[in-house]
Amino acid sequence: LRLPEKGGQEFRTLSRSINQMADAIELHIQQAEGLAESRKVFIDNLAHEMKTPLTSMVGYTDLLKKEDLTPAAQDYVEVISVKQEQLKEMIQSLFELSKSTSGTEKFQMEKMDMKRLIEQTLADMDDAIAQSNLSFRTALGDEPLPFLGDNGKMYRVIQNLVENILKYSLGGTRVYIDAGKEKGEIFVTMKNISAYEMNFEAEEMMERFVRGDESRTSEGHGLGLAIASSYTANMGGRMELAADGDLFKVILRFPEAGEDSAAGETATKT
């Protein structure tokens, strides 16, 4: 997310502010790892404090867009605008992760169809997929895949996993999304070819995606996987990560919902 601090005074000031905010978020994510309630309070306060200067920067950027700028200056403003949107997304993701791990968030559990959920999410993301230079292949079967979950949270889980694929996949490769039933469980498997060398163990994956390291790109902050994992666990499922060379794989598993499966509101547990 770092911007070059060059150009006129206005650009240098905006760029420096964005870089300082990005550095602060990165630092606090790392410092908050392993903490429970204190992490939630810390992240909530941090995200709240970040919103005010970010709103101010967005306002100044909008004013600069209305000025008669040189082509080079216009390019700087566009870059700043894009980075601000990425920071807004990061702050929102921090809020989501904090809430999902706090033990207080409510989940409205209902019987859902995994096949239909995946089809709907992919249809909603069709424009982004079409622009990605990736070929998606799905094998979802013909039968419903019933399980219990919160509709909004499950949509976010699938959306986050697909966004992760779009951000970190090697261009021009295929993406495989399979779903089905086995041993009383509903499963989803997503496989893609990583754009970077995955020279670390499976148990390190989640930590590295959140922290950054070699998995970080200019487009991603890595919190999407952490949010998806937390939501999945809170709804009674589990998320597994695996790698075989540069092949990255995510597997979701939920108990299959029977005819007598009970829906209702639940809260996460600490």
Side-chain angles (χ1 to χ4, degrees), residues 21-185:
M21 290 173 65
D23 290 341
I25 291 175
E26 296 284 355
L27 175 63
H28 289 312
I29 289 174
Q30 295 177 31
Q31 291 177 338
E33 285 184 354
L35 302 178
E37 183 59 27
S38 59
R39 178 180 64 180
K40 176 184 180 302
V41 174
F42 195 68
I43 293 178
D44 283 350
N45 289 340
L46 170 67
H48 179 74
E49 290 173 3
M50 292 293 182
K51 279 189 172 182
T52 300
L54 180 58
T55 300
S56 177
M57 285 189 292
V58 170
Y60 280 114
T61 302
D62 288 341
L63 289 175
L64 282 170
K65 287 181 178 180
K66 299 176 182 178
E67 296 293 325
D68 185 16
L69 304 174
T70 66
Q74 290 174 353
D75 289 341
Y76 289 143
V77 173
E78 288 303 318
V79 172
I80 289 173
S81 182
V82 169
K83 299 304 180 181
Q84 286 173 167
E85 288 302 312
Q86 291 178 355
L87 277 173
K88 286 172 64 177
E89 180 186 343
M90 184 183 294
I91 291 171
Q92 181 58 40
S93 294
L94 281 171
F95 268 125
E96 285 191 59
L97 184 58
S98 177
K99 287 175 62 179
S100 69
T101 58
S102 68
T104 59
E105 188 170 16
K106 302 295 183 180
F107 286 73
Q108 187 62 48
M109 304 295 285
E110 58 182 291
K111 195 171 181 178
M112 300 179 61
D113 179 1
M114 185 67 77
K115 178 178 182 291
R116 185 175 180 181
L117 172 66
I118 294 172
E119 291 173 339
Q120 176 188 346
T121 309
L122 292 178
D124 291 345
M125 301 179 71
D126 185 64
D127 287 345
I129 291 173
Q131 296 171 14
S132 68
N133 193 28
L134 298 172
S135 298
F136 277 67
R137 302 286 188 269
T138 60
L140 308 178
D142 299 321
E143 300 297 323
L145 302 173
F147 72 105
L148 288 180
D150 179 293
N151 186 66
K153 301 297 192 304
M154 274 307 307
Y155 182 91
R156 189 77 165 105
V157 168
I158 302 300
Q159 181 186 54
N160 279 5
L161 295 179
V162 175
E163 286 179 345
N164 194 72
I165 288 172
L166 296 177
K167 289 174 182 177
Y168 296 109
S169 291
L170 182 66
T173 58
R174 295 184 182 90
V175 175
Y176 295 91
I177 301 179
D178 305 333
K181 305 177 187 179
E182 62 179 11
K183 299 179 180 179
E185 291 185 324

Side-chain angles (χ1 to χ4, degrees), residues 189-219:
T189 303
M190 298 188 183
K191 294 180 287 188
N192 67 285
I193 301 298
S194 173
Y196 56 90
E197 184 178 359
M198 301 184 68
N199 56 351
F200 45 86
E201 299 298 324
E203 55 268 20
E204 297 181 72
M205 289 183 185
M206 188 67 69
E207 178 185 351
R208 281 176 175 257
F209 268 100
V210 173
R211 191 176 67 229
D213 294 355
E214 298 173 30
S215 67
R216 178 62 47 82
T217 71
S218 60
E219 297 181 358

